[in-house]
Amino acid sequence: RVSYSESIDTPQSLANRNLSSLVRADTGGLINPITGLPADPRTDPFGISGGAFLRKAVEVGIEGKLGRNTYNLSGTYERREGAMGGKNLTGKISLTRKLTRHLTGTLALDYERVTNQTVGPGAKSETVEASTTFDYALGQKTTASLAYYFQRRHANPVHTRENVAVLTLKRTFRSW
């Protein structure tokens, strides 16, 4: 799949687009899938601005299934023109494998580089995220999951590293 788009965006449309990366918690609220904390859809790698801007984006991706493996490879190049100018380059790869009848493993790697002209000439942010997840079906309605997430972000002057391990026990009940 390949797509190219041009659009005039506003802060409201950015907030709407950022909602797409959130996941629903078991309690029903929206959370950041890495930290498990309530997510703020107003966050944007380019920052929030009161003005509109021209957004040009190219997206490429391939996904498929081969035997017990499912793979997904995607990338995006985005350029913004106007008061909120800058560039954003992202790449994502994931591989899921059915290890046994009850056990599934997933490896994922994400990369993002943002150049933001609103903060200052040549201001950059670089983020690398890696994760691995194992899901074990304890029964038809019960799953245990163990996940590990690593994130490294370099954005002058801040450099951060995060390591998160999450153990989840999920039971699905009949919905009405």
Side-chain angles (χ1 to χ4, degrees):
R1 131 194 126 224
V2 177
S3 70
Y4 174 78
S5 63
E6 286 188 18
S7 62
I8 303 291
D9 279 351
T10 64
Q12 293 82 5
S13 63
L14 284 178
N16 187 38
R17 184 179 304 116
N18 290 339
L19 284 171
S20 66
S21 66
L22 305 180
V23 297
R24 176 179 256 174
D26 293 333
T27 59
L30 296 175
I31 61 170
N32 180 316
I34 294 176
T35 64
L37 298 173
D40 185 356
R42 296 172 297 169
T43 59
D44 184 71
F46 293 97
I48 297 297
S49 164
F53 57 90
L54 174 62
R55 176 181 178 267
K56 298 178 180 180
V58 174
E59 298 179 40
V60 296
I62 185 169
E63 54 189 64
K65 190 170 186 170
L66 188 61
R68 297 183 302 170
N69 299 320
T70 303
Y71 59 90
N72 188 343
L73 178 65
S74 64
T76 303
Y77 176 75
E78 175 181 346
R79 193 171 85 205
R80 296 183 179 187
E81 298 172 2
M84 231 175 111
K87 298 175 185 175
N88 186 17
L89 176 68
T90 61
K92 298 179 181 202
I93 186 169
S94 69
L95 174 66
T96 301
R97 181 171 175 87
K98 186 99 170 148
L99 301 168
T100 68
R101 210 174 77 177
H102 300 287
L103 182 64
T104 302
T106 301
L107 293 171
L109 181 63
D110 296 359
Y111 173 80
E112 179 178 50
R113 187 174 84 204
V114 177
T115 305
N116 185 339
Q117 301 303 327
T118 59
V119 175
K124 289 186 208 172
S125 169
E126 200 170 60
T127 303
V128 175
E129 296 176 349
S131 66
T132 184
T133 306
F134 292 97
D135 296 317
Y136 188 82
L138 299 170
Q140 280 186 329
K141 298 179 180 182
T142 307
T143 304
S145 298
L146 177 62
Y148 170 74
Y149 301 95
F150 170 80
Q151 181 186 74
R152 178 183 57 90
R153 176 171 288 153
H154 290 281
N156 283 333
V158 178
H159 299 273
T160 61
R161 286 179 187 246
E162 290 183 23
N163 291 283
V164 178
V166 179
L167 179 62
T168 306
L169 182 61
K170 182 178 177 181
R171 173 79 176 168
T172 304
F173 295 95
R174 194 170 102 188
S175 60
W176 303 102

